[in-house]
């Protein structure tokens, strides 16, 4: 009780502070965080992994995505048809798969619901050398193999997915971080800009843009770039607003770290994982947007194919040949479902407390 | 508070003006012109351009348009309905779109909420993953596929509902479009509601309420839902606008005389005034909804207002 | 909660009551339109849908009979001067739906409106094609409206003076742009003209009872004051705009529609149905090859490309709607010659599919150009049939002609017209619909410097024939004119200036209890005056 005041001289000399010239120099990220990483990171990743594996939906999603990606890579080469190869006379042939055909489905038969009653037809019997002919997913109204086209089209959808993530991570994140970090006038101007961009209905700006640029993969990419990043920029901004007042940022600032160093080396590593996961959520949206463009006629130009254009093309034959729309819809659905499940699972695995934004 | 609202409204107005300018600029870059029938000669096209003032440079047209608009004159349609004032075109179409959109939001929000709550309550049963899959499917299937499926099965094969929109049977014939349109909202709301409810149900005050003996419906609806609702309102706002744009596909399939269809047609036929007015209308609704949500938020939750005001003051 | 249930029950009852709304009385024909009416103003409208509705409610001097020949309508009798330049029409005693009589002044007013630069009608050129005195000059703003060669001698006598004797003048008068309009009525409507049933004045077989701009439902009722009313069997017509053809077919099968148009694939489902019909339309689809493009100026290359695709497959496998392969530049069933036969019956055919011959032309062409491969872009509008045909053409061309690569550029129709007119294209899939029943409605397009000569093809001899056949001395000798037109067509085809692809057919379903609908390939496509629904 009496020893409240400690005399400096009472402290043994080896414990007395001694100031060196470089004591107040900023030592940088590497030196700072080494200690933290060694012990914890293993456990953290193991944690994440075990949480992820427990989430059956996410695992199924991941497997589906891997399967779809591999099929997109090898699928078009699995048979002898090219995606834009039209065989006159082979129009609108129902799916026929070797092996499975013997159990009564996908055997090339289809029932036309004509106005004069159902009519079962088997076009394979009518074309020359039909017995040895197999269109696994059927052929379209121009006599092209739907199997090849579906997997070629899947490539486009996957490309769109990639674009969505890249745009999110490059534009959205950078924009949000800068806007949120600097605050004040910069933030105000940047946020007003977002507000204006956001105020124009996405569909209109993008449609006008695509028409002005001529429809094509490039214009769709540009269109996604122009509007796709807004959501991510909001999230990034919200995150940095939370973090920028925290002690470790303050500390680094006090030690003289410059703004961009702070943003990208101090703050970003803390939120990058979350942001990456959030950007997974924009994938289904982007794929959907592409499908929507296809439906209003400004998708990938013919004879190219994307899942969206395949669906909107075969939509016109829905009441005649429903099988044409079947496979593109299933694959698009599975793809979107898988990305959603995977994103959900990743988010839960990384940070169970994180909320849907 | 008043200052805050006024400020927001001022910004919204400026934003709208900027949007209109961007629209005019984009339309300037659109190839082709509204008067482009194969039968027209060059002289005639020049005559038509002059008649509608399209020969003037874009900034002039923009200023003229804004002035006319402030006077309540939105211009005439060049193509879709020749020489018809656009306000005439909208008079009957806007209410139809708004009604079907409103019905879809209502249906989507209510059913989505119920599904989300159900999934959250039955968290550990098969029901939860099942509902999750259903809601993800709702997000994953394009609405037009859904629409045609519905119309084929319920409309054609079973004959329960009319397949086409009829003004005389407005309620009945809007059933199928409403369902198709609400799927996305329903699925999204269900997902959010589930997460929010899970969080709220796990919170301390809910456990307190439970130990105090509050049970069943009262617990869920009076205590949990109320707290889960605020974040859900936020997602609902952009969804409403999304519905309006999504409706143009549905309108085409069900032959609904609404504004979505009009917009696509206008874009394809370079009907500038119609594009401008409809885009402007969408922007107006969007910004309006955002504004209302913002202000409502401040009213509902004082903490938000305070931080916002603090932010604006510091700016 | 209980109250809410009651409310729900009430809503349900209301819904059911609405569902049980009485069906329309018999004798009302339900017809599908695939696009809205653009305008009910006869001098403003330019599209087939508007023309069809207008012609049902307004009648001009002449109408087309079932066979497509003009018969007098409001004109009771017509006399022509010996030089073929002055037509005098005596009008029938008829009334507008507002009670006023239809007078010669109504025609004069309408026709002046047609050429008035202030109205800027997109179809003003048709008055010039009809040869009406001063029409072109007034449209260009060089003469006052009063100078138009159409004068009301009295209420029942209309005198029309032409610059040249136009052989198809009477035929042209069936075109909706020449429909009459009462000045008094027009002025009384102010700027609301033709926007509601009250502002549409009718003198035809039907009157408008339900209409608004860009409406999805348009309802017409039988006009009791129509001069020929006793021959009109229908109680009315109800047009329903349905853009999705599958939806249209579903409604047809559900009994909501009596007349619908089928698209491509659906034909498979309905072609065995007794209610299925193929109607020949007037549109010719062809590929315009821009001769300012390197390689396409070579006639051998053009001749190769024009023969290298399977036209029969385009019609049978791609379109399926009754379209026929086009081995000609002037369609079938368009015009009847002085011999009383269809133009095509006596004219030769050209550029039939022949892949071997195409290859020969191709190799010759490539040798002349000194190249081994060519690649072109093909502009096409973004409609289902056009895109499918373009993809088929691309596949066939690349297959038949080694070294040829085609890329397809799709765009909205307005943009396609724009780039083609400006000459900023290489190949373009385009179409032309006839304005009047004479081969010149096609052949004139391909004269040197004409707006629609998008391929920039030029043949002075050809120009001379067409000039003479439209405004020159050939107009005085119908037989020689006919032969000259055939020779002109042969020139276009020999050069493969255009690659004809197909002549459009329409696949329609008409309920078996409906008969008497008349189909035409020129002007008004469907006429319901004599239709019967039992």
């Amino acid at each position: 009780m009496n020893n409240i005041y400690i005399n400096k001289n009472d402290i043994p000399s080896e414990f007395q502070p001694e100031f060196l010239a470089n004591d107040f120099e900023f030592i940088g990220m590497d030196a700072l965080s080494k200690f933290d990483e060694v012990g914890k990171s293993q456990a953290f990743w193991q944690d994440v992994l075990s949480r992820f594996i427990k989430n059956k939906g996410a695992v199924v999603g991941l497997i589906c995505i891997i399967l779809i990606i591999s099929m997109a890579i090898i699928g078009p080469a699995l048979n002898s048809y090219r995606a834009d190869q039209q065989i006159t006379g082979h129009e609108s042939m129902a799916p026929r798969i070797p092996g499975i055909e013997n159990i009564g489905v996908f055997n090339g038969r289809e029932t036309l619901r004509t106005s004069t009653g159902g009519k079962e037809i088997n076009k394979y019997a009518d074309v020359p050398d039909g017995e040895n002919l197999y269109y696994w997913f059927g052929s379209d109204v121009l006599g092209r193999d739907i199997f090849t086209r579906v997997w070629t089209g899947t490539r486009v959808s996957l490309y769109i997915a990639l674009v969505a993530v890249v745009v999110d991570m490059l534009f959205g994140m950078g924009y949000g971080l800068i806007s949120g970090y600097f605050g004040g006038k910069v933030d105000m101007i940047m946020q007003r800009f977002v507000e204006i961009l956001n105020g124009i209905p996405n569909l209109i700006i993008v449609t006008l843009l695509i028409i002005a640029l001529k429809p094509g993969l490039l214009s769709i990419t540009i269109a996604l770039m122009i509007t796709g990043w807004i959501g991510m920029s909001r999230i990034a901004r919200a995150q940095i607003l939370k973090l920028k007042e925290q002690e470790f940022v303050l500390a680094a600032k006090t030690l003289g770290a410059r703004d961009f160093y702070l943003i990208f080396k101090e703050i970003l590593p803390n939120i990058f994982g979350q942001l990456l996961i959030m950007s997974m959520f924009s994938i289904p949206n982007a794929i959907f947007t592409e499908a929507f463009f296809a439906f209003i006629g400004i998708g990938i130009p013919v004879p190219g194919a994307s899942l969206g254009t395949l669906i909107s093309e075969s939509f016109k034959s829905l009441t005649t040949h429903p099988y044409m729309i079947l496979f593109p819809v299933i694959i698009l659905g599975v793809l979107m479902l898988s990305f959603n499940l995977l994103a959900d699972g990743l988010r839960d695995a990384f940070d169970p407390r994180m909320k849907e934004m | 508070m008043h200052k805050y609202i006024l400020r927001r409204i001022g910004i919204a107005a400026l934003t709208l003006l900027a949007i209109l300018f961007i629209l005019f600029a984009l339309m300037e870059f659109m190839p082709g012109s509204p008067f482009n029938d194969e039968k027209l000669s060059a002289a005639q096209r020049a005559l038509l351009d002059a008649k509608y003032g399209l020969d003037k440079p874009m900034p002039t047209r923009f200023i003229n348009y804004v002035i006319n608009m402030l006077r309540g004159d939105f211009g005439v349609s060049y193509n879709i309905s020749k020489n018809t004032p656009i306000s005439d075109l909208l008079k009957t179409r806007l209410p139809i779109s708004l009604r079907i959109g409103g019905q879809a939001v209502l249906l989507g929000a209510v059913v989505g909420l119920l599904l989300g709550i159900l999934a959250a309550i039955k968290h550990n049963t098969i029901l939860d993953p099942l509902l999750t899959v259903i809601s993800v499917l709702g997000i994953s299937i394009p609405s037009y596929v859904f629409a045609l499926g519905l119309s084929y099965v319920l409309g054609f094969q079973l004959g329960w509902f009319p397949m086409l929109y009829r003004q005389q049977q407005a309620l009945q014939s809007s059933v199928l479009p409403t369902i198709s349109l609400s799927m996305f909202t329903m699925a999204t709301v269900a997902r959010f509601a589930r997460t929010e409810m899970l969080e709220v149900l796990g919170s301390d005050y809910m456990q307190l309420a439970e130990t105090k003996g509050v049970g069943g419906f009262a617990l869920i609806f009076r205590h949990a839902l109320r707290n889960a609702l605020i974040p859900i309102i936020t997602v609902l706002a952009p969804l409403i606008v999304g519905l309006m744009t999504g409706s143009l596909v549905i309108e085409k399939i069900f032959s609904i005389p609404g504004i979505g269809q009009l917009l696509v047609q206008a874009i394809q036929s370079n009907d500038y005034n119609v594009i401008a007015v409809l885009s402007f209308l969408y922007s107006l609704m969007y910004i309006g909804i955002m504004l209302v949500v913002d202000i409502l938020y401040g009213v509902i939750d004082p903490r938000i207002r305070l931080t916002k005001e603090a932010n604006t003051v510091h700016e | 909660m209980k109250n809410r249930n009651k409310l729900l029950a009430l809503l349900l009852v209301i819904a059911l009551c609405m569902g049980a709304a009485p069906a329309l009385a018999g004798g009302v024909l339900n017809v599908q339109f695939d696009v809205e009416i653009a305008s009910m103003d006869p001098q403003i409208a330019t599209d087939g849908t508007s023309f069809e509705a207008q012609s049902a409610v307004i009648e001009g001097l002449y109408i087309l009979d079932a066979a497509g020949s003009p018969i007098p309508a409001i004109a009771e009798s017509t006399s022509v001067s010996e030089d073929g330049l002055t037509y005098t029409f005596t009008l029938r005693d008829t009334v507008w739906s507002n009670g006023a009589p239809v007078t010669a002044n109504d025609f004069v007013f309408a026709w002046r409106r047609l050429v008035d630069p202030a109205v800027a009608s997109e179809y003003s050129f048709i008055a010039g094609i009809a040869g009406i005195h001063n029409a072109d000059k007034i449209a260009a703003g060089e003469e006052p409206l009063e100078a138009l060669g159409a004068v009301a001698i009295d209420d029942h006598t209309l005198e029309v003076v032409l610059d040249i004797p136009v052989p198809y003048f009477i035929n042209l008068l069936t075109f909706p742009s020449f429909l009459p309009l009462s000045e008094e009525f027009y002025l009384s409507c102010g700027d609301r003209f033709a926007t509601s049933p009250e502002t549409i004045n009718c003198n035809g077989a039907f009157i408008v009872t339900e209409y608004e701009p860009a409406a999805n439902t348009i309802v017409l009722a039988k006009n009791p004051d129509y001069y020929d009313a006793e021959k009109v069997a229908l109680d009315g017509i109800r047009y329903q705009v349905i853009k999705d053809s599958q939806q249209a077919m579903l409604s047809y099968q559900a009994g909501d529609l009596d007349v619908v148009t089928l698209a491509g694939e659906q034909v498979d489902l309905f072609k065995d149905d007794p209610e299925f019909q193929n109607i020949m339309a007037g549109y010719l689809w062809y590929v315009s090859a821009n001769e300012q493009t390197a390689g396409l100026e070579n006639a051998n290359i053009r001749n190769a490309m024009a023969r290298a695709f399977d036209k029969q497959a385009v019609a049978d496998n791609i379109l399926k709607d009754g379209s026929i392969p086009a081995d000609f530049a002037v369609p079938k069933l368009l015009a009847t010659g002085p011999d009383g036969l269809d133009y095509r019956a006596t004219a030769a055919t050209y550029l039939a599919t022949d892949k071997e011959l195409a290859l020969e032309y191709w190799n010759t062409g490539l040798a002349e150009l000194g190249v081994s491969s060519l690649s072109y872009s093909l502009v096409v509008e973004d409609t289902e049939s056009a895109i499918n045909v373009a993809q088929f053409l691309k596949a066939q061309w690349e297959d038949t002609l080694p070294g040829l690569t085609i890329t397809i550029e799709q765009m909205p129709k307005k943009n396609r017209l724009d780039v083609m007119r400006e000459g900023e294209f290489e190949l373009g899939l385009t179409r032309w619909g006839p304005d009047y029943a004479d081969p010149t409605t096609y052949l004139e397009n391909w004269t040197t410097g004409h707006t629609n000569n998008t391929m920039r093809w030029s043949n002075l001899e050809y120009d001379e024939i067409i000039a003479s056949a439209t405004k020159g001395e050939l107009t005085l000798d119908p037989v020689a004119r006919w032969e000259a037109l055939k020779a002109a067509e042969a020139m276009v085809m020999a050069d493969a200036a255009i690659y004809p692809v197909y002549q459009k057919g329409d696949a329609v379903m008409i309920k078996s209890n409906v008969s008497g609908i008349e189909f035409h390939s020129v002007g008004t496509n469907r006429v319901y005056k004599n239709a019967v629904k039992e």
Side-chain angles (χ1 to χ4, degrees), chain C residues 116-167:
Chain C
D116 186 348
V119 174
S121 164
E122 294 180 39
Y123 253 95
S124 63
F125 67 89
I126 202 143
I129 286 175
I132 300 174
H133 182 58
N134 277 336
D136 285 334
K137 283 182 184 160
I138 297 168
E142 292 161 13
E143 293 277 347
L145 286 182
E146 292 70 28
L148 189 70
V151 184
I153 305 293
D154 58 53
D155 274 0
H156 283 89
T157 316
L158 176 71
E159 190 185 88
V160 182
V161 179
L162 307 186
D163 285 333
I164 41 143
V166 174

Side-chain angles (χ1 to χ4, degrees), chain A residues 86 115 144 302 315 319, chain C residues 246 265 269 272-273 391 410:
Chain A
Q86 301 172 18
S115 53
R144 297 177 295 200
V302 293
F315 176 73
T319 50
Chain C
Q246 302 190 72
E265 281 304 290
L269 296 185
D272 297 332
D273 199 301
Q391 294 188 83
Q410 58 192 88

Side-chain angles (χ1 to χ4, degrees), chain B residues 69-139:
Chain B
M69 206 160 158
L70 291 174
R71 288 193 199 128
D73 172 11
F74 293 95
V76 296
S77 162
Y78 300 140
N79 271 309
I80 296 171
S81 180
K82 289 170 192 292
N83 288 336
T84 312
I86 291 166
S87 40
D88 278 15
L89 278 182
L90 292 184
K91 210 163 48 196
T92 52
R93 292 175 170 248
L94 191 57
I96 294 174
S97 283
L98 285 181
R99 213 196 60 234
I100 291 182
Q103 282 170 211
V105 169
L106 209 64
L107 183 73
V110 170
V111 177
L113 261 180
L114 290 178
L115 287 181
I117 293 170
L118 199 62
I121 298 173
K122 307 277 177 195
H123 186 41
N124 295 318
T125 67
I126 182 75
L127 211 58
D128 181 29
L130 193 74
L131 287 172
T132 307
V133 169
I134 290 176
S135 68
V136 177
L137 274 181
I139 297 175

